[in-house]
Amino acid sequence: MVTKELFGKTVDGTEIYKYWIENKKGMKAAVINYGAILVNLLVPDSEGNVDDVVLGYGSLEDYFENGSFFGATVGPNANRIGGASFELDGVRYQLDVNDGVNNLHSHVKEGYHKRVWDAEEGEDQVRFSLKDQDGSMGFPGNKEIQVTYTLTDENALEIHYQGSSDQNTIINMTNHTYFNLAGHGKGTIHDHVLTLNASHYTPIVPGAIPTGEIASVAGTPFDFMTEKRIGEEIGADNEQLKMTGGYDHNWVLDGADGKIRKFADVKEPESGRCMEVFTDLPGVQFYAGNSITQQTGKEDVEYGPRSGFCLETQYYPDTANKPQFPSCVFGPERKYDTTTVYKFI
């Protein structure tokens, strides 16, 4: 069931709505047509107590800034592109320089997380769509993008991305939701227990740009092949962790073949909530929320560093400049179509 309520208005007076999707088990998700943002996710714990397990804001105005990208649909390119430029089909494209000398999340002010999307309600889903012009934010191609949120009766939130372009371009979108399975505002995520089906990751240089190497996680703090507390080795004496103040790296998912498969389990011991994550993409950015600034979120709760974690499914960072990485070039001959699922059990 889908219902909607007015969430606020943009500076130019455009009405922004919050769409509530509810399943038969009492789980609810709320998304807005500003940024195609996931604002609320209400999930029962092992005893039936319901908490909101995603970080976010209670007012639209706070999303106009949203420096941490809470719940955001990031596009057309998520994560980093080295030197804020790339070459495609013999043409060099210059992007916004917004993260040192690099580009992060396409554009802070003009990215898809700051756009007003068209919305179409379904029985158990909301489909957002937008059109993006050739040259927007420096990326080529006239693009048509759709993001569909579906909440199933199996307590799975499915996010389906679709995109087409009349020229070859870079499309590498993600959802930037921060989870805290104890409930948003209930401390850090250090005690969450994580398993990642990823025996390799992509090491970085300062600025968090991958070196191009695919490195084994064996014997390093990056090994989550068997379950481990997020906080267990996050402060280890490790140069990779020091560069980003904790986990903020891309893991290479084992067995990725374009089909949807489970790659992660997350457990929160106190509440008993468990989340399984599925995708058809080759990588995931596990970000432990190291740089969340002290701020007030929904229900006037306080957020700070590591009060939520992200599992941002993706093509690898800087893929646009790394031909050895899986390609995120899409255009007339290749449409963008990918799904990520967050399932609660």
Side-chain angles (χ1 to χ4, degrees):
M1 179 176 68
V2 177
T3 57
K4 74 175 183 178
E5 61 188 41
L6 186 65
F7 191 57
K9 295 182 180 181
T10 63
V11 176
D12 67 3
T14 302
E15 293 183 335
I16 300 301
Y17 288 91
K18 179 186 280 191
Y19 298 84
W20 285 96
I21 315 171
E22 182 176 359
N23 70 8
K24 294 177 181 178
K25 294 183 179 178
M27 182 173 163
K28 296 181 181 180
V31 291
I32 58 175
N33 59 312
Y34 180 81
I37 290 170
L38 176 66
V39 176
N40 307 89
L41 192 61
L42 306 181
V43 182
D45 66 10
S46 56
E47 296 183 357
N49 302 308
V50 176
D51 283 297
D52 191 341
V53 299
V54 299
L55 277 58
Y57 301 114
S59 71
L60 175 62
E61 289 74 19
D62 287 325
Y63 284 106
F64 295 159
E65 180 63 30
N66 196 14
S68 295
F69 291 79
F70 289 151
T73 293
V74 183
N77 184 78
N79 217 309
R80 294 170 174 86
I81 293 181
S85 69
F86 63 92
E87 185 174 312
L88 181 59
D89 298 335
V91 178
R92 171 67 56 177
Y93 293 94
Q94 181 63 47
L95 308 176
D96 189 42
V97 181
N98 61 13
D99 187 52
V101 298
N102 305 313
N103 175 267
L104 175 64
H105 296 331
S106 300
H107 202 287
V108 172
K109 295 180 179 179
E110 300 173 13
Y112 292 171
H113 68 298
K114 296 291 179 71
R115 303 284 184 93
V116 177
W117 296 61
D118 294 327
E120 179 185 354
E121 301 168 52
E123 185 176 337
D124 60 353
Q125 64 182 214
V126 179
R127 176 175 291 116
F128 296 114
S129 58
L130 62 74
K131 294 183 179 180
D132 195 23
Q133 294 183 336
D134 178 31
S136 170
M137 296 174 277
F139 293 90
N142 294 295
K143 295 172 282 295
E144 295 187 3
I145 304 293
Q146 291 184 329
V147 177
T148 304
Y149 288 91
T150 302
L151 183 60
T152 75
D153 286 331
E154 286 70 46
N155 281 1
L157 181 67
E158 300 177 354
I159 309 176
H160 182 201
Y161 306 82
Q162 295 168 285
S164 62
S165 174
D166 63 358
Q167 299 179 49
N168 281 341
T169 191
I170 299 298
I171 305 178
N172 183 17
M173 297 174 61
T174 199
N175 182 279
H176 210 293
T177 291
Y178 293 75
F179 295 93
N180 186 323
L181 301 189
H184 80 110
K186 293 188 177 179
T188 73
I189 45 79
H190 286 169
D191 287 336
H192 285 56
V193 178
L194 173 65
T195 308
L196 282 176
N197 186 28
S199 55
H200 293 78
Y201 78 111
T202 52
I204 57 172
V205 297
I209 301 298
T211 63
E213 178 189 4
I214 305 292
S216 173
V217 301
T220 78
F222 295 87
D223 188 352
F224 285 90
M225 291 290 288
T226 56
E227 63 178 33
K228 181 173 67 178
R229 286 178 56 253
I230 289 174
E232 185 171 327
E233 294 184 284
I234 200 168
D237 184 12
N238 177 281
E239 286 304 315
Q240 287 290 310
L241 290 176
K242 290 178 181 178
M243 277 190 270
T244 49
Y247 297 114
D248 188 10
H249 295 70
N250 171 71
W251 270 254
V252 175
L253 301 183
D254 288 355
D257 59 0
K259 298 178 182 177
I260 297 175
R261 62 177 66 228
K262 187 173 80 167
F263 71 87
D265 289 280
V266 191
K267 302 174 183 177
E268 200 287 306
E270 192 69 25
S271 67
R273 288 191 184 90
C274 300
M275 182 175 75
E276 299 177 333
V277 193
F278 303 73
T279 194
D280 49 18
L281 288 168
V284 63
Q285 189 85 5
F286 166 43
Y287 174 45
N290 316 302
S291 299
I292 300 173
T293 57
Q294 292 291 338
Q295 58 188 292
T296 302
K298 295 174 289 189
E299 302 169 325
D300 293 326
V301 303
E302 294 301 313
Y303 299 149
R306 299 182 185 159
S307 54
F309 68 91
C310 303
L311 289 172
E312 306 162 60
T313 56
Q314 62 183 1
Y315 290 91
Y316 309 162
D318 203 32
T319 287
N321 291 312
K322 300 284 194 300
Q324 69 270 39
F325 285 176
S327 173
C328 62
V329 175
F330 295 90
E333 305 301 320
R334 186 189 184 201
K335 293 185 183 297
Y336 179 74
D337 193 317
T338 178
T339 300
T340 294
V341 181
Y342 299 96
K343 183 177 181 180
F344 293 84
I345 57 173

